[in-house]
Amino acid sequence: MTVEAAPNPPVRRLADWSAERLGDLADEYDTPLYVLDLDRVRQNYRRMAVEFPDADVYYAAKANTCRPVLETLADEGAGIECASAGELQRAIDAGVPGERVQYTAVNPPARDLDRAVEIADEHSITITAGAEDTVERLAERDYSGRLCVRVNPGVGAGHHEKVATGADAKFGVPIERVPELVADARENFDVVGLHAHAGSGISGEDLSAHRELVARMGDLAREVGDLEFLDIGGGFGVPYRPGEDPLDLVSVAEATREAVGDLSSATLTVEPGRYLVADAGVLLTAVNTVKDARDATVVGVGAGMTTLARPAIYGAHHEIRNLSRSGGQQTVTVAGPVCESADTFGDHELAAPERGDLLAIGNAGAYGYEMASQYNSRPRPASVVLARGEARLARRRETNADVTRLEQEDQR
Ligand SMILES: *Cc1c(COP(=O)(O)O)cnc(C)c1O
């Protein structure tokens, strides 16, 4: 019997979302509203699993820690890569088995490390240390469990200098010092893996850097020997602009296999964050004000840098679509409600927006809600998830009372 594979396009564009469906969700849950389609998250995971059939896929939770996302990906077979004790707690609470959880500590605060060791003792997660010092701090806590060493391989890739981490001294143990560190660490810990993450935004053009990193890591793994896994990190890019091609995952996988060489019994691990969730999410926001300024038309919307911070932090581009009308394109500046000049989503060609229109901001599934803040005392937005078309509230909208809740507790 032949089973026809379900269609699984390499990218979902903003234009592919149903304006009617999104409009209904905005009516029901109000705006700003994050919408995340869990079925698309599954599709993204499956493409990755198909192209890296021998690899283990760990989802970098920091891209979107919403519980249904963790549950969905764990259900598909993904492990979970955590950046903090808070994320560890989320993974464990979502029912992910400890053997499928990694904690990658970058200069971990003491409280974080204490909690990670506690969770590791109970659930046998893997702790990844990015400095000799962190290994010592783990020994001081009598930790003797599964340890992975984060390597600074001296090559990096990234879509913006602030996320190019591989070559950055902050991340990982310099590659030339790793064999000695591993030899020493083996006396106290169960050293199970090596790890490197070259920063986010591997694109077609960046493959040479990716190849270089993977080759160095493959050589290192052979030198060190006797490992369960070699983790080459995440950073699989997604197209943020309509003309941009999706990442050619087949080429990336091929380049990876070629460059890594024979790992004997060690499993290759990849850690995508953005790739699994970015195009599964949109942010809905309403037009509050349309202003003809001297040299621009400024469309003021409810979402801002406190809702989706990437444009303000990285100068990132997110596509915007007017769901309320079509035709009559006009170049406008879309700006948020925060009193900061960085609070803008940039210039966009939109069907001329009017007050009350509903806009959708694309690729909002990764690093959207996670970077939201309460700056300007703005409550964070609600998130809904879709599964087989059904919507449910995943995070309720904050209220003004939520914003002041902690101070009021202090005063009691
Ligand atoms: C952020 C991060 C990732 C995921 O990066 P993406 O660009 O979202 O794929 C993977 N591994 C580590 C250690 C990270 O910090």
Side-chain angles (χ1 to χ4, degrees):
M1 192 179 84
T2 52
V3 180
E4 213 169 300
N8 188 350
V11 63
R12 179 185 284 180
R13 307 275 183 185
L14 187 53
D16 299 333
W17 292 78
S18 155
E20 194 188 342
R21 179 70 171 121
L22 293 175
D24 289 347
L25 291 170
D27 287 344
E28 187 174 348
Y29 296 98
D30 207 350
T31 60
L33 180 71
Y34 275 103
V35 178
L36 193 86
D37 184 351
L38 297 173
D39 297 335
R40 181 60 186 162
V41 174
R42 283 186 197 274
Q43 288 184 332
N44 289 337
Y45 174 83
R46 286 174 189 175
R47 280 198 317 286
M48 185 69 67
V50 163
E51 296 311 334
F52 288 90
D54 303 325
D56 209 358
V57 180
Y58 273 67
Y59 167 56
K62 74 177 192 284
N64 191 325
T65 58
C66 201
R67 179 153 173 167
V69 177
L70 302 183
E71 287 171 348
T72 298
L73 285 166
D75 179 56
E76 286 288 323
I80 306 291
E81 152 71 28
C82 301
S84 70
E87 288 184 4
L88 273 183
Q89 192 65 57
R90 285 181 186 276
I92 297 296
D93 290 350
V96 184
E99 304 77 60
R100 304 291 298 150
V101 176
Q102 286 190 42
Y103 167 73
T104 299
V106 181
N107 303 332
R111 201 181 295 118
D112 224 65
L113 213 50
D114 290 345
R115 186 69 190 121
V117 166
E118 241 171 58
I119 293 177
D121 287 342
E122 195 178 334
H123 297 276
S124 69
I125 62 161
T126 300
I127 297 185
T128 299
E132 283 98 337
D133 209 42
T134 305
V135 177
E136 267 171 43
R137 293 168 73 205
L138 287 166
E140 281 165 13
R141 285 164 172 76
D142 290 327
Y143 180 67
S144 60
R146 298 167 58 79
L147 183 78
C148 169
V149 174
R150 181 167 183 170
V151 180
N152 188 319
V155 272
H159 61 82
H160 187 279
E161 65 195 27
K162 288 195 183 120
V163 286
T165 53
D168 190 321
K170 174 175 168 180
F171 302 95
V173 178
I175 190 162
E176 61 279 7
R177 301 214 299 262
V178 172
E180 194 188 334
L181 173 65
V182 168
D184 289 349
R186 279 183 166 145
E187 289 173 21
N188 291 314
F189 306 92
D190 181 14
V191 179
V192 290
L194 296 176
H195 172 288
H197 168 65
S200 294
I202 297 173
S203 69
E205 299 97 76
D206 278 333
L207 274 190
S208 60
H210 175 71
R211 233 183 259 273
E212 177 71 33
L213 173 135
V214 173
R216 286 187 196 187
M217 290 301 288
D219 290 341
L220 180 65
R222 280 181 288 277
E223 180 179 349
V224 163
D226 193 18
L227 294 168
E228 265 178 40
F229 66 86
L230 174 66
D231 188 331
I232 56 162
F236 299 86
V238 300
Y240 279 95
R241 291 174 189 272
E244 234 175 283
D245 288 331
L247 186 65
D248 180 359
L249 210 52
V250 178
S251 305
V252 178
E254 220 174 76
T256 304
R257 266 192 296 274
E258 261 172 41
V260 79
D262 180 17
L263 292 178
S264 62
S265 62
T267 307
L268 183 75
T269 300
V270 290
E271 279 176 358
R274 179 188 325 273
Y275 189 85
L276 299 183
V277 289
D279 73 354
V282 295
L283 171 61
L284 302 179
T285 189
V287 174
N288 298 327
T289 311
V290 178
K291 182 171 80 173
D292 276 317
R294 266 187 300 278
D295 353 281
T297 299
V298 180
V299 174
V301 298
M305 63 189 287
T306 59
T307 328
L308 177 69
R310 298 187 70 258
I313 297 181
Y314 308 118
H317 176 86
H318 284 258
E319 276 304 290
I320 300 184
R321 175 179 160 203
N322 189 347
L323 298 173
S324 302
R325 59 190 82 244
S326 50
Q329 301 293 111
Q330 183 188 4
T331 301
V332 297
T333 302
V334 179
V338 179
C339 194
E340 290 279 347
S341 47
D343 185 34
T344 167
F345 296 110
D347 290 351
H348 294 264
E349 280 258 317
L350 298 183
E354 293 182 18
R355 200 187 322 150
D357 280 2
L358 181 66
L359 306 188
I361 304 181
N363 264 334
Y367 305 105
Y369 190 94
E370 293 304 319
M371 289 185 168
S373 79
Q374 295 176 333
Y375 180 45
N376 272 206
S377 293
R378 287 197 187 279
R380 286 178 295 183
S383 303
V384 295
V385 291
L386 305 174
R388 270 160 257 104
E390 292 290 312
R392 77 189 141 98
L393 189 65
R395 275 167 173 150
R396 73 162 168 84
R397 181 177 308 287
E398 285 181 340
T399 61
N400 283 335
D402 289 322
V403 174
T404 54
R405 196 168 43 135
L406 299 179
E407 310 160 31
Q408 287 163 0
E409 275 171 9
D410 272 344
Q411 287 157 18
R412 241 175 248 147

